[in-house]
Amino acid sequence: SNWVDLHHPWMSHSVAVVYWTLVTLSLAGLLVSWVIDWRFSKAPRLRDADFLIDYEQPPEKQDSEKTMPIAGRLTKAGILYVVRTTIAATAGLHVRDIPVAF
């Protein structure tokens, strides 16, 4: 009459214990998800206006090349030359072709 005989020797097997543990955890997870969904269905609806904020336009960026001192510009040019030469040597290209790739 019972659909599961709890006194059957199969029920004490380790696979049966794992099976029933997984079934129990699955049902518990399903119950928890239903409760959480029900709670959030009672929460007030969110709108786009709740997330939009007032912000100021960022200030215009100044051209860094014009404001950079001559020593900085020379350093930057030297570093770019070394980097581009290294890339050209690694890729088997001519140094003048590297700025086109960037």
mmCIF file of all heavy atoms in Angstrom, residues 5-51:
data_model
loop_
_atom_site.group_PDB
_atom_site.id
_atom_site.type_symbol
_atom_site.label_atom_id
_atom_site.label_comp_id
_atom_site.label_asym_id
_atom_site.label_seq_id
_atom_site.Cartn_x
_atom_site.Cartn_y
_atom_site.Cartn_z
ATOM 1 N N ASP A 5 8.692 1.717 0.660
ATOM 2 C CA ASP A 5 8.844 0.864 1.834
ATOM 3 C C ASP A 5 10.103 1.308 2.562
ATOM 4 O O ASP A 5 11.224 1.053 2.122
ATOM 5 C CB ASP A 5 8.943 -0.603 1.400
ATOM 6 C CG ASP A 5 9.013 -1.541 2.594
ATOM 7 O OD1 ASP A 5 8.776 -1.078 3.731
ATOM 8 O OD2 ASP A 5 9.313 -2.729 2.375
ATOM 9 N N LEU A 6 9.946 2.009 3.686
ATOM 10 C CA LEU A 6 11.078 2.566 4.415
ATOM 11 C C LEU A 6 11.914 1.502 5.117
ATOM 12 O O LEU A 6 13.015 1.782 5.559
ATOM 13 C CB LEU A 6 10.588 3.602 5.425
ATOM 14 C CG LEU A 6 9.907 4.834 4.819
ATOM 15 C CD1 LEU A 6 9.407 5.753 5.918
ATOM 16 C CD2 LEU A 6 10.853 5.569 3.891
ATOM 17 N N HIS A 7 11.398 0.276 5.214
ATOM 18 C CA HIS A 7 12.141 -0.792 5.879
ATOM 19 C C HIS A 7 12.863 -1.699 4.886
ATOM 20 O O HIS A 7 13.493 -2.665 5.284
ATOM 21 C CB HIS A 7 11.189 -1.618 6.753
ATOM 22 C CG HIS A 7 10.522 -0.788 7.810
ATOM 23 N ND1 HIS A 7 11.211 -0.223 8.844
ATOM 24 C CD2 HIS A 7 9.235 -0.401 7.969
ATOM 25 C CE1 HIS A 7 10.380 0.465 9.606
ATOM 26 N NE2 HIS A 7 9.171 0.370 9.088
ATOM 27 N N HIS A 8 12.775 -1.370 3.631
ATOM 28 C CA HIS A 8 13.451 -2.164 2.612
ATOM 29 C C HIS A 8 14.964 -1.929 2.735
ATOM 30 O O HIS A 8 15.406 -0.824 3.026
ATOM 31 C CB HIS A 8 12.956 -1.746 1.218
ATOM 32 C CG HIS A 8 13.351 -2.691 0.137
ATOM 33 N ND1 HIS A 8 14.561 -2.619 -0.483
ATOM 34 C CD2 HIS A 8 12.697 -3.731 -0.431
ATOM 35 C CE1 HIS A 8 14.650 -3.568 -1.388
ATOM 36 N NE2 HIS A 8 13.515 -4.260 -1.381
ATOM 37 N N PRO A 9 15.797 -2.971 2.513
ATOM 38 C CA PRO A 9 17.243 -2.803 2.652
ATOM 39 C C PRO A 9 17.844 -1.776 1.693
ATOM 40 O O PRO A 9 18.884 -1.202 1.958
ATOM 41 C CB PRO A 9 17.815 -4.192 2.372
ATOM 42 C CG PRO A 9 16.693 -5.071 2.025
ATOM 43 C CD PRO A 9 15.421 -4.343 2.201
ATOM 44 N N TRP A 10 17.159 -1.481 0.591
ATOM 45 C CA TRP A 10 17.660 -0.487 -0.350
ATOM 46 C C TRP A 10 17.739 0.884 0.291
ATOM 47 O O TRP A 10 18.625 1.685 -0.034
ATOM 48 C CB TRP A 10 16.735 -0.441 -1.559
ATOM 49 C CG TRP A 10 17.192 0.502 -2.620
ATOM 50 C CD1 TRP A 10 18.092 0.236 -3.583
ATOM 51 C CD2 TRP A 10 16.787 1.855 -2.817
ATOM 52 N NE1 TRP A 10 18.282 1.334 -4.381
ATOM 53 C CE2 TRP A 10 17.482 2.345 -3.921
ATOM 54 C CE3 TRP A 10 15.904 2.699 -2.165
ATOM 55 C CZ2 TRP A 10 17.321 3.637 -4.397
ATOM 56 C CZ3 TRP A 10 15.739 3.983 -2.630
ATOM 57 C CH2 TRP A 10 16.449 4.439 -3.736
ATOM 58 N N MET A 11 16.847 1.183 1.223
ATOM 59 C CA MET A 11 16.783 2.503 1.839
ATOM 60 C C MET A 11 18.011 2.793 2.702
ATOM 61 O O MET A 11 18.336 3.948 2.939
ATOM 62 C CB MET A 11 15.505 2.652 2.664
ATOM 63 C CG MET A 11 14.252 2.570 1.830
ATOM 64 S SD MET A 11 14.214 3.785 0.508
ATOM 65 C CE MET A 11 13.964 5.249 1.451
ATOM 66 N N SER A 12 18.691 1.775 3.164
ATOM 67 C CA SER A 12 19.874 2.003 3.987
ATOM 68 C C SER A 12 21.159 2.014 3.153
ATOM 69 O O SER A 12 22.235 2.223 3.688
ATOM 70 C CB SER A 12 19.968 0.937 5.080
ATOM 71 O OG SER A 12 20.097 -0.339 4.485
ATOM 72 N N HIS A 13 21.042 1.811 1.866
ATOM 73 C CA HIS A 13 22.200 1.840 0.990
ATOM 74 C C HIS A 13 22.681 3.282 0.816
ATOM 75 O O HIS A 13 21.902 4.232 0.884
ATOM 76 C CB HIS A 13 21.813 1.232 -0.375
ATOM 77 C CG HIS A 13 22.985 0.916 -1.244
ATOM 78 N ND1 HIS A 13 23.547 1.842 -2.075
ATOM 79 C CD2 HIS A 13 23.699 -0.225 -1.407
ATOM 80 C CE1 HIS A 13 24.560 1.303 -2.707
ATOM 81 N NE2 HIS A 13 24.671 0.024 -2.317
ATOM 82 N N SER A 14 23.991 3.469 0.608
ATOM 83 C CA SER A 14 24.548 4.815 0.526
ATOM 84 C C SER A 14 23.989 5.590 -0.667
ATOM 85 O O SER A 14 23.792 6.805 -0.594
ATOM 86 C CB SER A 14 26.071 4.764 0.455
ATOM 87 O OG SER A 14 26.489 4.029 -0.680
ATOM 88 N N VAL A 15 23.707 4.912 -1.759
ATOM 89 C CA VAL A 15 23.133 5.585 -2.922
ATOM 90 C C VAL A 15 21.734 6.089 -2.608
ATOM 91 O O VAL A 15 21.348 7.192 -3.019
ATOM 92 C CB VAL A 15 23.116 4.636 -4.142
ATOM 93 C CG1 VAL A 15 22.393 5.264 -5.322
ATOM 94 C CG2 VAL A 15 24.522 4.238 -4.522
ATOM 95 N N ALA A 16 20.970 5.331 -1.872
ATOM 96 C CA ALA A 16 19.621 5.763 -1.490
ATOM 97 C C ALA A 16 19.692 6.993 -0.580
ATOM 98 O O ALA A 16 18.877 7.911 -0.702
ATOM 99 C CB ALA A 16 18.879 4.629 -0.804
ATOM 100 N N VAL A 17 20.655 7.001 0.324
ATOM 101 C CA VAL A 17 20.804 8.154 1.219
ATOM 102 C C VAL A 17 21.150 9.406 0.411
ATOM 103 O O VAL A 17 20.580 10.484 0.628
ATOM 104 C CB VAL A 17 21.878 7.860 2.293
ATOM 105 C CG1 VAL A 17 22.184 9.101 3.107
ATOM 106 C CG2 VAL A 17 21.441 6.716 3.189
ATOM 107 N N VAL A 18 22.043 9.273 -0.550
ATOM 108 C CA VAL A 18 22.395 10.405 -1.404
ATOM 109 C C VAL A 18 21.185 10.840 -2.226
ATOM 110 O O VAL A 18 20.893 12.032 -2.350
ATOM 111 C CB VAL A 18 23.586 10.041 -2.322
ATOM 112 C CG1 VAL A 18 23.814 11.106 -3.388
ATOM 113 C CG2 VAL A 18 24.839 9.823 -1.511
ATOM 114 N N TYR A 19 20.451 9.882 -2.765
ATOM 115 C CA TYR A 19 19.269 10.187 -3.560
ATOM 116 C C TYR A 19 18.243 10.976 -2.753
ATOM 117 O O TYR A 19 17.759 12.015 -3.180
ATOM 118 C CB TYR A 19 18.650 8.884 -4.098
ATOM 119 C CG TYR A 19 17.319 9.090 -4.781
ATOM 120 C CD1 TYR A 19 17.255 9.602 -6.066
ATOM 121 C CD2 TYR A 19 16.128 8.772 -4.126
ATOM 122 C CE1 TYR A 19 16.037 9.796 -6.685
ATOM 123 C CE2 TYR A 19 14.909 8.963 -4.744
ATOM 124 C CZ TYR A 19 14.866 9.476 -6.018
ATOM 125 O OH TYR A 19 13.656 9.663 -6.630
ATOM 126 N N TRP A 20 17.904 10.469 -1.586
ATOM 127 C CA TRP A 20 16.890 11.151 -0.773
ATOM 128 C C TRP A 20 17.391 12.493 -0.237
ATOM 129 O O TRP A 20 16.614 13.430 -0.059
ATOM 130 C CB TRP A 20 16.403 10.249 0.360
ATOM 131 C CG TRP A 20 15.534 9.145 -0.169
ATOM 132 C CD1 TRP A 20 15.812 7.821 -0.200
ATOM 133 C CD2 TRP A 20 14.264 9.304 -0.797
ATOM 134 N NE1 TRP A 20 14.798 7.140 -0.804
ATOM 135 C CE2 TRP A 20 13.820 8.031 -1.179
ATOM 136 C CE3 TRP A 20 13.449 10.387 -1.077
ATOM 137 C CZ2 TRP A 20 12.608 7.815 -1.821
ATOM 138 C CZ3 TRP A 20 12.232 10.177 -1.715
ATOM 139 C CH2 TRP A 20 11.826 8.906 -2.079
ATOM 140 N N THR A 21 18.695 12.609 -0.032
ATOM 141 C CA THR A 21 19.249 13.902 0.372
ATOM 142 C C THR A 21 19.084 14.918 -0.751
ATOM 143 O O THR A 21 18.679 16.057 -0.518
ATOM 144 C CB THR A 21 20.736 13.760 0.743
ATOM 145 O OG1 THR A 21 20.857 12.798 1.808
ATOM 146 C CG2 THR A 21 21.326 15.078 1.175
ATOM 147 N N LEU A 22 19.379 14.485 -1.984
ATOM 148 C CA LEU A 22 19.210 15.382 -3.121
ATOM 149 C C LEU A 22 17.745 15.764 -3.342
ATOM 150 O O LEU A 22 17.433 16.919 -3.637
ATOM 151 C CB LEU A 22 19.775 14.743 -4.384
ATOM 152 C CG LEU A 22 21.303 14.639 -4.454
ATOM 153 C CD1 LEU A 22 21.719 13.877 -5.703
ATOM 154 C CD2 LEU A 22 21.931 16.014 -4.437
ATOM 155 N N VAL A 23 16.852 14.803 -3.185
ATOM 156 C CA VAL A 23 15.424 15.094 -3.335
ATOM 157 C C VAL A 23 14.982 16.097 -2.281
ATOM 158 O O VAL A 23 14.284 17.077 -2.571
ATOM 159 C CB VAL A 23 14.591 13.794 -3.260
ATOM 160 C CG1 VAL A 23 13.113 14.105 -3.115
ATOM 161 C CG2 VAL A 23 14.850 12.936 -4.481
ATOM 162 N N THR A 24 15.408 15.891 -1.046
ATOM 163 C CA THR A 24 15.021 16.781 0.047
ATOM 164 C C THR A 24 15.583 18.188 -0.164
ATOM 165 O O THR A 24 14.867 19.186 0.003
ATOM 166 C CB THR A 24 15.511 16.218 1.394
ATOM 167 O OG1 THR A 24 14.988 14.892 1.547
ATOM 168 C CG2 THR A 24 15.071 17.080 2.551
ATOM 169 N N LEU A 25 16.847 18.274 -0.556
ATOM 170 C CA LEU A 25 17.448 19.589 -0.787
ATOM 171 C C LEU A 25 16.807 20.297 -1.976
ATOM 172 O O LEU A 25 16.630 21.522 -1.952
ATOM 173 C CB LEU A 25 18.953 19.449 -0.993
ATOM 174 C CG LEU A 25 19.772 19.070 0.250
ATOM 175 C CD1 LEU A 25 21.233 18.871 -0.122
ATOM 176 C CD2 LEU A 25 19.628 20.127 1.325
ATOM 177 N N SER A 26 16.444 19.545 -3.005
ATOM 178 C CA SER A 26 15.777 20.148 -4.163
ATOM 179 C C SER A 26 14.418 20.721 -3.777
ATOM 180 O O SER A 26 14.069 21.841 -4.161
ATOM 181 C CB SER A 26 15.601 19.124 -5.272
ATOM 182 O OG SER A 26 16.841 18.669 -5.726
ATOM 183 N N LEU A 27 13.665 19.954 -3.017
ATOM 184 C CA LEU A 27 12.353 20.443 -2.587
ATOM 185 C C LEU A 27 12.489 21.632 -1.639
ATOM 186 O O LEU A 27 11.703 22.583 -1.700
ATOM 187 C CB LEU A 27 11.562 19.311 -1.930
ATOM 188 C CG LEU A 27 11.127 18.194 -2.877
ATOM 189 C CD1 LEU A 27 10.448 17.067 -2.098
ATOM 190 C CD2 LEU A 27 10.219 18.732 -3.960
ATOM 191 N N ALA A 28 13.481 21.595 -0.766
ATOM 192 C CA ALA A 28 13.708 22.722 0.146
ATOM 193 C C ALA A 28 14.104 23.968 -0.652
ATOM 194 O O ALA A 28 13.628 25.075 -0.365
ATOM 195 C CB ALA A 28 14.785 22.370 1.159
ATOM 196 N N GLY A 29 14.964 23.806 -1.654
ATOM 197 C CA GLY A 29 15.344 24.942 -2.494
ATOM 198 C C GLY A 29 14.172 25.508 -3.261
ATOM 199 O O GLY A 29 14.038 26.727 -3.410
ATOM 200 N N LEU A 30 13.317 24.630 -3.756
ATOM 201 C CA LEU A 30 12.128 25.076 -4.456
ATOM 202 C C LEU A 30 11.204 25.861 -3.530
ATOM 203 O O LEU A 30 10.679 26.919 -3.898
ATOM 204 C CB LEU A 30 11.400 23.859 -5.040
ATOM 205 C CG LEU A 30 10.256 24.119 -5.999
ATOM 206 C CD1 LEU A 30 10.753 24.884 -7.216
ATOM 207 C CD2 LEU A 30 9.643 22.805 -6.430
ATOM 208 N N LEU A 31 11.030 25.376 -2.323
ATOM 209 C CA LEU A 31 10.198 26.070 -1.341
ATOM 210 C C LEU A 31 10.776 27.437 -0.991
ATOM 211 O O LEU A 31 10.056 28.439 -0.943
ATOM 212 C CB LEU A 31 10.044 25.208 -0.077
ATOM 213 C CG LEU A 31 9.195 25.820 1.031
ATOM 214 C CD1 LEU A 31 7.751 25.952 0.577
ATOM 215 C CD2 LEU A 31 9.286 24.978 2.288
ATOM 216 N N VAL A 32 12.077 27.497 -0.793
ATOM 217 C CA VAL A 32 12.726 28.776 -0.470
ATOM 218 C C VAL A 32 12.576 29.752 -1.630
ATOM 219 O O VAL A 32 12.294 30.939 -1.424
ATOM 220 C CB VAL A 32 14.219 28.547 -0.111
ATOM 221 C CG1 VAL A 32 14.984 29.852 -0.071
ATOM 222 C CG2 VAL A 32 14.335 27.836 1.224
ATOM 223 N N SER A 33 12.738 29.288 -2.865
ATOM 224 C CA SER A 33 12.591 30.192 -4.015
ATOM 225 C C SER A 33 11.163 30.697 -4.139
ATOM 226 O O SER A 33 10.938 31.850 -4.483
ATOM 227 C CB SER A 33 13.040 29.506 -5.295
ATOM 228 O OG SER A 33 12.153 28.468 -5.640
ATOM 229 N N TRP A 34 10.179 29.869 -3.822
ATOM 230 C CA TRP A 34 8.783 30.320 -3.854
ATOM 231 C C TRP A 34 8.537 31.397 -2.806
ATOM 232 O O TRP A 34 7.867 32.386 -3.078
ATOM 233 C CB TRP A 34 7.832 29.150 -3.627
ATOM 234 C CG TRP A 34 7.636 28.255 -4.810
ATOM 235 C CD1 TRP A 34 7.874 28.551 -6.113
ATOM 236 C CD2 TRP A 34 7.155 26.930 -4.777
ATOM 237 N NE1 TRP A 34 7.584 27.480 -6.908
ATOM 238 C CE2 TRP A 34 7.126 26.463 -6.117
ATOM 239 C CE3 TRP A 34 6.743 26.069 -3.776
ATOM 240 C CZ2 TRP A 34 6.703 25.204 -6.455
ATOM 241 C CZ3 TRP A 34 6.313 24.808 -4.131
ATOM 242 C CH2 TRP A 34 6.296 24.379 -5.450
ATOM 243 N N VAL A 35 9.091 31.196 -1.627
ATOM 244 C CA VAL A 35 8.909 32.187 -0.557
ATOM 245 C C VAL A 35 9.577 33.504 -0.935
ATOM 246 O O VAL A 35 9.008 34.583 -0.762
ATOM 247 C CB VAL A 35 9.461 31.644 0.783
ATOM 248 C CG1 VAL A 35 9.510 32.738 1.834
ATOM 249 C CG2 VAL A 35 8.604 30.475 1.264
ATOM 250 N N ILE A 36 10.787 33.436 -1.474
ATOM 251 C CA ILE A 36 11.497 34.664 -1.866
ATOM 252 C C ILE A 36 10.744 35.371 -2.991
ATOM 253 O O ILE A 36 10.591 36.601 -2.964
ATOM 254 C CB ILE A 36 12.944 34.337 -2.274
ATOM 255 C CG1 ILE A 36 13.739 33.938 -1.038
ATOM 256 C CG2 ILE A 36 13.597 35.515 -2.974
ATOM 257 C CD1 ILE A 36 15.129 33.432 -1.338
ATOM 258 N N ASP A 37 10.254 34.629 -3.992
ATOM 259 C CA ASP A 37 9.475 35.237 -5.074
ATOM 260 C C ASP A 37 8.209 35.887 -4.535
ATOM 261 O O ASP A 37 7.822 36.975 -4.975
ATOM 262 C CB ASP A 37 9.104 34.188 -6.125
ATOM 263 C CG ASP A 37 10.264 33.819 -7.020
ATOM 264 O OD1 ASP A 37 11.266 34.563 -7.027
ATOM 265 O OD2 ASP A 37 10.163 32.792 -7.711
ATOM 266 N N TRP A 38 7.556 35.245 -3.600
ATOM 267 C CA TRP A 38 6.341 35.801 -3.027
ATOM 268 C C TRP A 38 6.639 37.100 -2.281
ATOM 269 O O TRP A 38 5.907 38.078 -2.407
ATOM 270 C CB TRP A 38 5.699 34.780 -2.079
ATOM 271 C CG TRP A 38 4.470 35.306 -1.411
ATOM 272 C CD1 TRP A 38 3.237 35.482 -1.975
ATOM 273 C CD2 TRP A 38 4.365 35.739 -0.066
ATOM 274 N NE1 TRP A 38 2.374 35.993 -1.049
ATOM 275 C CE2 TRP A 38 3.042 36.162 0.136
ATOM 276 C CE3 TRP A 38 5.249 35.805 0.991
ATOM 277 C CZ2 TRP A 38 2.604 36.653 1.353
ATOM 278 C CZ3 TRP A 38 4.808 36.293 2.201
ATOM 279 C CH2 TRP A 38 3.495 36.712 2.371
ATOM 280 N N ARG A 39 7.749 37.133 -1.529
ATOM 281 C CA ARG A 39 8.118 38.353 -0.801
ATOM 282 C C ARG A 39 8.434 39.492 -1.752
ATOM 283 O O ARG A 39 8.047 40.630 -1.526
ATOM 284 C CB ARG A 39 9.318 38.097 0.108
ATOM 285 C CG ARG A 39 8.965 37.336 1.352
ATOM 286 C CD ARG A 39 10.176 37.241 2.248
ATOM 287 N NE ARG A 39 9.888 36.460 3.440
ATOM 288 C CZ ARG A 39 10.795 36.092 4.317
ATOM 289 N NH1 ARG A 39 12.054 36.423 4.130
ATOM 290 N NH2 ARG A 39 10.451 35.396 5.378
ATOM 291 N N PHE A 40 9.171 39.200 -2.824
ATOM 292 C CA PHE A 40 9.529 40.251 -3.767
ATOM 293 C C PHE A 40 8.343 40.690 -4.619
ATOM 294 O O PHE A 40 8.344 41.798 -5.146
ATOM 295 C CB PHE A 40 10.701 39.833 -4.650
ATOM 296 C CG PHE A 40 12.022 40.021 -3.981
ATOM 297 C CD1 PHE A 40 12.762 38.928 -3.576
ATOM 298 C CD2 PHE A 40 12.519 41.288 -3.736
ATOM 299 C CE1 PHE A 40 13.984 39.097 -2.946
ATOM 300 C CE2 PHE A 40 13.734 41.467 -3.104
ATOM 301 C CZ PHE A 40 14.466 40.375 -2.713
ATOM 302 N N SER A 41 7.343 39.839 -4.765
ATOM 303 C CA SER A 41 6.155 40.268 -5.499
ATOM 304 C C SER A 41 5.377 41.309 -4.702
ATOM 305 O O SER A 41 4.640 42.106 -5.275
ATOM 306 C CB SER A 41 5.264 39.076 -5.829
ATOM 307 O OG SER A 41 4.673 38.564 -4.644
ATOM 308 N N LYS A 42 5.554 41.338 -3.387
ATOM 309 C CA LYS A 42 4.895 42.324 -2.531
ATOM 310 C C LYS A 42 5.667 43.644 -2.476
ATOM 311 O O LYS A 42 5.154 44.643 -2.015
ATOM 312 C CB LYS A 42 4.749 41.788 -1.102
ATOM 313 C CG LYS A 42 3.976 40.501 -0.992
ATOM 314 C CD LYS A 42 2.542 40.706 -1.356
ATOM 315 C CE LYS A 42 1.785 39.394 -1.195
ATOM 316 N NZ LYS A 42 0.423 39.488 -1.655
ATOM 317 N N ALA A 43 6.925 43.650 -2.918
ATOM 318 C CA ALA A 43 7.754 44.855 -2.863
ATOM 319 C C ALA A 43 7.277 45.851 -3.918
ATOM 320 O O ALA A 43 6.702 45.474 -4.935
ATOM 321 C CB ALA A 43 9.219 44.494 -3.105
ATOM 322 N N PRO A 44 7.526 47.148 -3.677
ATOM 323 C CA PRO A 44 7.109 48.140 -4.675
ATOM 324 C C PRO A 44 7.909 47.995 -5.969
ATOM 325 O O PRO A 44 9.067 47.588 -5.954
ATOM 326 C CB PRO A 44 7.400 49.481 -3.998
ATOM 327 C CG PRO A 44 8.374 49.168 -2.914
ATOM 328 C CD PRO A 44 8.138 47.748 -2.512
ATOM 329 N N ARG A 45 7.267 48.304 -7.066
ATOM 330 C CA ARG A 45 7.911 48.193 -8.375
ATOM 331 C C ARG A 45 8.984 49.264 -8.522
ATOM 332 O O ARG A 45 8.830 50.390 -8.052
ATOM 333 C CB ARG A 45 6.889 48.366 -9.488
ATOM 334 C CG ARG A 45 5.811 47.310 -9.484
ATOM 335 C CD ARG A 45 6.355 46.041 -10.047
ATOM 336 N NE ARG A 45 5.316 45.018 -10.042
ATOM 337 C CZ ARG A 45 5.574 43.755 -10.144
ATOM 338 N NH1 ARG A 45 6.810 43.345 -10.251
ATOM 339 N NH2 ARG A 45 4.608 42.875 -10.136
ATOM 340 N N LEU A 46 10.065 48.929 -9.206
ATOM 341 C CA LEU A 46 11.143 49.877 -9.461
ATOM 342 C C LEU A 46 10.920 50.545 -10.808
ATOM 343 O O LEU A 46 10.451 49.925 -11.763
ATOM 344 C CB LEU A 46 12.488 49.155 -9.440
ATOM 345 C CG LEU A 46 12.850 48.501 -8.111
ATOM 346 C CD1 LEU A 46 14.138 47.721 -8.269
ATOM 347 C CD2 LEU A 46 12.993 49.535 -7.021
ATOM 348 N N ARG A 47 11.279 51.828 -10.874
ATOM 349 C CA ARG A 47 11.136 52.583 -12.112
ATOM 350 C C ARG A 47 12.496 53.099 -12.538
ATOM 351 O O ARG A 47 13.437 53.137 -11.753
ATOM 352 C CB ARG A 47 10.201 53.773 -11.900
ATOM 353 C CG ARG A 47 8.816 53.384 -11.375
ATOM 354 C CD ARG A 47 8.060 54.602 -10.962
ATOM 355 N NE ARG A 47 8.911 55.360 -10.017
ATOM 356 C CZ ARG A 47 8.676 56.582 -9.599
ATOM 357 N NH1 ARG A 47 7.645 57.229 -10.018
ATOM 358 N NH2 ARG A 47 9.483 57.183 -8.755
ATOM 359 N N ASP A 48 12.615 53.533 -13.791
ATOM 360 C CA ASP A 48 13.869 54.104 -14.270
ATOM 361 C C ASP A 48 14.238 55.350 -13.482
ATOM 362 O O ASP A 48 15.407 55.630 -13.250
ATOM 363 C CB ASP A 48 13.767 54.450 -15.753
ATOM 364 C CG ASP A 48 13.780 53.222 -16.632
ATOM 365 O OD1 ASP A 48 14.228 52.158 -16.143
ATOM 366 O OD2 ASP A 48 13.358 53.318 -17.791
ATOM 367 N N ALA A 49 13.245 56.113 -13.064
ATOM 368 C CA ALA A 49 13.513 57.349 -12.322
ATOM 369 C C ALA A 49 14.188 57.062 -10.979
ATOM 370 O O ALA A 49 14.862 57.927 -10.426
ATOM 371 C CB ALA A 49 12.213 58.112 -12.098
ATOM 372 N N ASP A 50 14.014 55.854 -10.446
ATOM 373 C CA ASP A 50 14.670 55.507 -9.185
ATOM 374 C C ASP A 50 16.170 55.360 -9.342
ATOM 375 O O ASP A 50 16.905 55.435 -8.366
ATOM 376 C CB ASP A 50 14.092 54.197 -8.629
ATOM 377 C CG ASP A 50 12.623 54.326 -8.276
ATOM 378 O OD1 ASP A 50 12.182 55.448 -7.979
ATOM 379 O OD2 ASP A 50 11.920 53.299 -8.321
ATOM 380 N N PHE A 51 16.631 55.142 -10.570
ATOM 381 C CA PHE A 51 18.050 54.898 -10.794
ATOM 382 C C PHE A 51 18.763 56.068 -11.454
ATOM 383 O O PHE A 51 19.970 56.148 -11.428
ATOM 384 C CB PHE A 51 18.244 53.647 -11.649
ATOM 385 C CG PHE A 51 17.763 52.412 -10.969
ATOM 386 C CD1 PHE A 51 16.533 51.863 -11.277
ATOM 387 C CD2 PHE A 51 18.527 51.806 -9.995
ATOM 388 C CE1 PHE A 51 16.086 50.729 -10.643
ATOM 389 C CE2 PHE A 51 18.083 50.675 -9.353
ATOM 390 C CZ PHE A 51 16.860 50.135 -9.677
#
